[in-house]
């Protein structure tokens, strides 16, 4: 067994019975997020652990999605911290391991063990005695997976490159704002989260098609949510006659029924996504201005032609 620092070393444990194939596959993707440790957001490098060599004791570590679940065999990140802050006020990071279950060698003393599974994580304090029995440490994550997608109107699929999700904690923080958990999530991506309710912000396009909803993640389960947008994709055209060729070098402004500008662009046929409602398209070409009122119906992509008159 290789020593990783003067105080602690680790080795991956032997394989243990896997989750049922379907459940294991449901969490097989990993968005590789940055981990924020509850109460342990600051830590020193391993070299700050100190020196000295004593008899070590082996402790087995397992992480479970639920209390009655099977140990997770991949996608885990283990971190071991000294319980006493260093001179800089940070908890020294002693060792880390990635994969499934792990085995660490400890000197007698107190430690903090943190295991992360995507955005889900749990921390446990461990006291290692000089002698006596040492049980396998079972850390219950109470975690699940979330997969997001969206449609426009009743069932029209939205192109992946036009859809993004931001995930927030449902409850507000002390500053009255909701805490961002993970941003810019692509459709069909499995995000591992602690069980609980999350506030989802779905953005279709880059203008005003935004839907908000609360979704609950259940422990040990993969939750698949499809959000319904009330929006459509429009292609703007300035034409001499109906069905004619789009005229180049045209500047566009799109106004809501209240007169607010929601989009500006230049081109022969710019494409934009707009929330359902009433709008006015204003086209400017060769010092002339043309306009047309139009209606956006959810799920009905169409061309909006403005005639030269």
């Amino acid at each position: 067994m290789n020593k990783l620092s003067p105080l602690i070393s680790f080795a991956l444990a032997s394989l243990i019975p896997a989750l049922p194939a379907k459940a294991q596959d449901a969490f097989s993707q990993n968005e590789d997020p940055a981990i924020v440790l509850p109460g342990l957001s600051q830590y020193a490098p391993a070299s700050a652990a100190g020196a000295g060599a004593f008899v070590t004791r082996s402790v087995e570590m397992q992480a479970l999605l639920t209390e009655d679940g099977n140990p997770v065999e991949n996608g885990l990140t283990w971190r071991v911290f000294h319980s006493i802050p260093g001179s800089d006020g940070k908890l020294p990071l002693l060792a880390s391991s990635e994969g499934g279950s792990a085995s660490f060698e400890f000197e007698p003393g107190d430690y903090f063990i943190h295991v992360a599974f995507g955005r889900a994580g749990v921390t446990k304090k461990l006291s290692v005695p000089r002698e006596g029995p040492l049980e396998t440490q079972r850390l219950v994550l109470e975690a699940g997976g979330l997969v997001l997608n969206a449609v426009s109107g009743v069932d029209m699929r939205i192109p992946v490159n036009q859809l993004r999700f931001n995930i927030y904690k449902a409850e507000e923080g002390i500053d009255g704002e909701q805490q961002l958990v993970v941003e810019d999530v692509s459709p069909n991506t499995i995000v591992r989260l602690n069980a609980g309710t999350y506030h989802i912000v779905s953005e279709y396009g880059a203008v005003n098609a935004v839907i908000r909803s609360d979704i609950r993640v259940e422990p040990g389960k993969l939750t698949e949510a499809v959000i319904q947008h009330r929006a459509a994709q429009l292609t703007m055209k300035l034409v001499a006659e109906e069905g004619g060729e789009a005229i180049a070098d045209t500047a566009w402004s799109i106004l809501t029924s209240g007169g607010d500008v929601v989009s500006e662009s230049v081109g022969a046929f710019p494409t934009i996504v707009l929330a359902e409602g009433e709008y006015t398209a204003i086209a400017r070409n060769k010092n002339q201005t043309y306009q047309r009122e139009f209606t956006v119906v959810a799920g009905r992509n169409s061309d909006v032609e403005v005639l030269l008159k």
Side-chain angles (χ1 to χ4, degrees), residues 118-139:
R119 295 282 171 166
V122 63
T123 302
K124 180 179 182 179
K125 186 175 183 179
L126 171 65
S127 294
V128 179
R130 292 188 175 274
E131 55 186 20
L134 269 176
E135 297 180 351
T136 297
Q137 299 299 302
R138 300 170 73 253
L139 281 71

